[in-house]
Amino acid sequence: STPNSNMELLPLLLSLLALIVDKSRAQPSAHTVSKEDDAELNEFVASSNETSAESDPSNTQGNETSSQHCVAADSNADEGVDEIELPVMNHPKYEEEFFSLLNELNVDDWDVTLQQDQDMNYHLLFERDDILKTFPLPEIYNNLSEEEIIKLAVDYFDQQDEEWEEQELEHDQNPTKRPRTAKSRRLREAKILSLVYKKIGGSNILKTDGRWLSNEPVCRWYGVVCGHRGQHKAGMKGRNPTPPPDDAVTAIQLNNLDLDGTLPTEFAMMEHLSQLILRNNKIRGTIPPELAYASRLCVLDISNNRLTGSVPALLSTKTRFMYQIHLNRNQLKGPLPRNMRAWKKLWLMDVSQNGFSGTIPRQLAQMEDLAILSMGDNLFSGTLPLSLFEVTTLQMLDLGTNLLEGTVPYGIMNFERLYDLNLAENSFSGTFPSEVLALPELHSFIISHNMFQGTLSEEWVSDSKVGLIHASHNQLNGTIPRSLMVSMQSNLGSLDLSYNQLRGTMHTEIGLLTALHTIDVMGNQIEGTLPTEMLRMNPNLRLNFTDNMITGTIPPMFCGEGAPTNNILYREFGCDAVLCRPGTFNPHGHATLHSSCRVCDSILPEHKNLLGRVSCEGQHYVHGDLDGDGILSSREILRMIYIDNIGKWWGAAYQAWADINIHECELAGITCSGKRMTTIDLSNANLCSSSDRQPGPIKFCLGIPSEVGLLTDLDAFQATRRQYLRGTIPTEFGNLSKLRLLDLSSCPSMQGTIPSELGRLSSLRYLFLGHNPFKGTIPASLFLLTNLEKLHLTKNRLTGTMPTVLRATNLKELMISRNDVGGTLPTQIGRLGALENFEGYGNDFTGTLPTELGKCTSLKRIDVFNNKLTGTLPTEIASMERLQIFHVKENKLTGTIPSGIGDLPSLSWFDISENTIYGTVPMSFATSGSLKDLRIADNQIHDPLPQGLCENKSMNGGATQHSGCAGVACPLGTYENLGYANEQDVGCRKCESGQSTLYLGSTKCRTFSTYDILSMYYDVMGGSRAWPKEYRNTWQNESIPICEWYGIRCDDQGEIVSMNFPFSDDHYMFG
């Protein structure tokens, strides 16, 4: 016989059967907004040649024809470019692939042939020598001959330049063809921005301004600019653009909002968008090719995000109004597009600080107005293409920190407008290009860390504008010429020639460099004394002559006596801060904030008068040694911590840390027991910050020094919530056998792994390392610490699996949520008898919930939602009498709810949402006196709900007070975002016509297919258990048409007209 629970579902199943008839009469509507708009976007892209213009009356008023607006002209400006003969070009995915292939190849040098595979699908083959490239063609090509396909493909590529020129002319002449009303455009833009909000992770936008998604006009939404105010003003010579309507979105500027979604393709649907500025966020994913269809886009700034992948080839072939493109500070890679025909008017291109590779594109020469080109900090290789030097409009060229090689061609002299040049940190060689310094506008010249050779030129342009020359770490020789000092006396502010092979003496003309504030010639062979003419120079001049052959004395004016100074170096070390006095040394050649100049134990006669020595024969130097005794005291270590983390801006209370003469027990943040320092607490110090509490310079923030491991009496070290603290966790912390507390939580600028050496801290009770970007695995050694009570590793980037040897028998809190830890939960977790709180949500755990959890009788909280756990809920949970919170949402759990869980005396929160748990809610939950929240959404739970739950007025935040049982779970045929009626005036919403729900607590409705409905019948009616074998062999078999399932009868059109449905041994007919 049929179970009672199944009979209760029978009316619903019969009603769903009726949907089968409806499905044969009408197509179901899309049930999510995103699918509708994805389809709309595809339609938009496919027909982008028909992009509409406005019929708003404002178009005819005030006709701004100034050549200062960078904006697309008429709305059909790109028609002709998008009317592409190849069918493959009608979808951005295929067009992007095809463009990428054609850009990679030089088609003129390849033989193009066609081939059909065994499935009769066409592939284009590009052959040259022994290299073969293929491009699969969509099925639409199967109706064409080989000759037609080859002709289409090759002609398309060969005709691009001609079509482009025709399109340019058409852009200026063609009128609007398909106007859109202003009202429909405004509704469309609001809809697009709503989709953008969802995909880009826009919750922080609402925190900044609550008007987003409201009924306010979109032009008042935060970061949305309309009309001419959003247009970017730039040189548009020869253009006569039609101004956009005043209420059309022309710019989106959403910076510094921590947006953490993906880059929406919907931006391409905003027909007047001129500026898209999303810098300084956390946007992830790739740059969508569809963005190229924002044909009026003039400024694209998506810098300082977390974007990956490559630059779509379409972007540089369609966005012909692009004026500025900022892609810097992301994680992009691969070569740059080779076809940049659309970027002829590009003025700025910044792709620095990524992982781009390949060679410098020779197509840069096509850019007629390019002024700023920043490609530094990438993996570009090869030599400089000669075509690069045809871009005579360049004002800044940054190619520093790449893998470039070869020489610098003389063509660099074509850059008569060049202001900044950076070629540093490559492998350039050849003669030092001194002639570059004669460029009339050059100010900054940086070629450090290369292999340039030769001497510095004796011929210099008088009154040079050059203010900075950095040529350190090369192979230059000869002397520093007098002419350099004479010609640059008015403007040169920084001169770095360190680590070369320069020799000779320092000329007296150095005194002419009155604008100079920094000179560094360390690591050369310069000899003699410092000229007295240097007394004419800036008294605050920073000079570094260490590791040369300098003798004599240092003018006191350069040691802090020439002008008022707050420099702690000069106050403590005098002229040793410039050059170590004769008979002493420091690895830096001068005293530093960490250490003084130490006396040499022995010295060769020829070295006894040298200033600025970096070593003494056979003598070791102790880093941090301020008094020169070769021993590091605890006070000197505290000074190192202060200096390495920009202590100057920690705050007024911490300034005594700089004075080595103040005892450590008198310092802020230090606790002592007697005269023994036991605690360092820097949780109130502004570590690694600047004067305005912004991030301090990275090069001056070194983090916690390893010498902290010498503080063997330390009980506690705390530096929590220090957002600018950098560096790694020193492994030397493992030497602190008395340490009970280590708290480095919420320090998001730290990096590295969690050292396994922390497992040596036998006294450790509290380890707080959560909310950091630490990587690697969880050290197994931490679970061997028998005194450890709290281990917090939440929200890091940890991977691997959870250790299986668990001997931390005193562990009360284990928090490893929001990482990427996988594998199964170890059964040995049952040995953690003291465990009270286990949080492992937001990981990749698989397998089942260990039954051994039942042995953790002290557990109050189990929180493992958003994993990939399978299996059933262990009945052993019902024995955990102290359990208060059980949260396993968003897993793959199945089975029923163990009835004993409802009897737990302390249970207040029970959340099994978004699993496949089936059956009913046990009656024991209705009698619980502690339960406040019961979440069962998106499972396979069916009626009846225990009436006592519906009458519990405090359930789910009091939702039962106004909605009864719907406050526990939405009934069949209704839905709500949380699966229950959480809003009094809304309740659970009814499904639209043609849609329904299967179970209680649904968060969305769906359109059921005939297969879905019949499969549900099969399950509910016990088909797998009770039906005859001849029925079971055909039902739910997707390879057999439904009309051939046993007991199903269809008409000639394939529509079901009757079902012969078994109950026990009888057959019942439903028609």
Side-chain angles (χ1 to χ4, degrees), residues 46-63:
S47 61
S48 58
N49 58 306
E50 298 179 358
T51 304
S52 65
E54 301 299 330
S55 61
D56 192 291
S58 61
N59 278 353
T60 62
Q61 299 176 6
N63 186 21

Side-chain angles (χ1 to χ4, degrees), residues 35 194 302 367 598 668 817 859 864 904 944 989 1029:
K35 287 187 177 180
S194 297
I302 48 179
M367 299 181 184
R598 185 177 177 184
S817 302
L859 260 176
V864 289
L904 292 174
R989 290 173 281 188
K1029 184 177 180 180

Side-chain angles (χ1 to χ4, degrees), residues 45 110 114 127 196 329 370 490 499 540 632 855 988 995:
V45 171
W110 293 70
L114 194 70
E127 286 186 87
V196 166
R329 300 181 69 182
L370 188 63
S490 300
Y499 294 103
N540 289 322
L632 206 56
K855 299 178 181 179
C988 293
Q995 297 183 335

Side-chain angles (χ1 to χ4, degrees), residues 904-1066:
L904 292 174
S906 300
L907 186 67
S908 62
W909 182 293
F910 185 76
D911 191 344
I912 57 170
S913 306
E914 299 181 53
N915 283 281
T916 53
I917 295 172
Y918 55 83
T920 60
V921 177
M923 290 297 297
S924 58
F925 281 80
T927 58
S928 173
S930 58
L931 190 63
K932 304 296 182 186
D933 289 275
L934 176 65
R935 309 295 173 86
I936 60 173
D938 288 339
N939 278 284
Q940 297 177 10
I941 306 296
H942 59 78
D943 278 323
L945 283 176
Q947 189 60 32
L949 276 176
C950 305
E951 296 172 356
N952 184 341
K953 301 305 181 184
S954 61
M955 187 60 58
N956 291 344
T960 48
Q961 292 186 40
H962 53 76
S963 300
C965 288
V968 178
C970 288
L972 297 175
T974 67
Y975 74 101
E976 188 47 65
N977 291 336
L978 296 178
Y980 65 91
N982 60 314
E983 296 184 30
Q984 181 173 353
D985 56 344
V986 177
C988 293
R989 290 173 281 188
K990 290 184 178 181
C991 296
E992 295 180 1
S993 176
Q995 297 183 335
S996 189
T997 62
L998 284 176
Y999 304 102
L1000 301 180
S1002 293
T1003 60
K1004 59 185 177 182
C1005 300
R1006 54 176 289 198
T1007 301
F1008 296 101
S1009 67
T1010 302
Y1011 179 88
D1012 293 332
I1013 297 169
L1014 294 178
S1015 295
M1016 181 183 62
Y1017 260 93
Y1018 181 82
D1019 292 338
V1020 172
M1021 305 312 295
S1024 61
R1025 301 187 305 275
W1027 284 21
K1029 184 177 180 180
E1030 61 267 26
Y1031 278 66
R1032 296 199 305 268
N1033 287 345
T1034 56
W1035 277 68
Q1036 288 191 315
N1037 189 335
E1038 295 188 31
S1039 64
I1040 300 176
I1042 289 177
C1043 291
E1044 297 179 17
W1045 290 7
Y1046 201 94
I1048 299 292
R1049 187 164 64 86
C1050 299
D1051 60 17
D1052 294 340
Q1053 285 74 40
E1055 300 297 332
I1056 295 175
V1057 295
S1058 68
M1059 295 171 54
N1060 195 15
F1061 210 70
F1063 285 83
S1064 295
D1065 295 329
D1066 299 323

Side-chain angles (χ1 to χ4, degrees), residues 46 101 120 145 162 218 351 373 385 409 437 462 661 663 782 860 891 975 996 1057:
L101 178 64
M120 304 304 290
S145 67
E162 180 180 350
V218 295
V351 297
L373 178 59
L437 294 169
S462 59
N661 297 312
H663 193 273
L782 298 180
K860 299 178 182 179
N891 279 284
Y975 74 101
S996 189
V1057 295

Side-chain angles (χ1 to χ4, degrees), residues 389-491:
F389 304 101
E390 298 174 15
V391 189
T392 58
T393 53
L394 274 180
Q395 299 174 29
M396 189 194 86
L397 176 60
D398 180 4
L399 301 176
T401 315
N402 277 290
L403 304 174
L404 300 168
E405 58 187 3
T407 61
V408 178
Y410 188 78
I412 197 171
M413 298 304 295
N414 294 335
F415 295 151
E416 294 187 355
R417 303 180 188 179
L418 196 64
Y419 186 84
D420 287 326
L421 175 64
N422 183 3
L423 304 178
E425 297 188 56
N426 282 285
S427 297
F428 290 119
S429 57
T431 304
F432 174 74
S434 296
E435 61 273 7
V436 177
L437 294 169
L439 289 173
E441 301 297 329
L442 190 67
H443 173 268
S444 176
F445 178 69
I446 304 175
I447 60 168
S448 303
H449 293 272
N450 280 288
M451 295 182 290
F452 288 117
Q453 300 175 343
T455 61
L456 296 173
S457 173
E458 290 286 346
E459 298 181 4
W460 302 89
V461 177
S462 59
D463 298 325
S464 171
K465 295 181 180 180
V466 176
L468 183 147
I469 299 175
H470 286 184
S472 66
H473 295 83
N474 279 284
Q475 300 171 20
L476 307 178
N477 53 44
T479 63
I480 302 175
R482 288 185 171 90
S483 55
L484 182 150
M485 304 172 188
V486 173
S487 63
M488 299 188 179
Q489 57 183 292
S490 300
N491 295 302

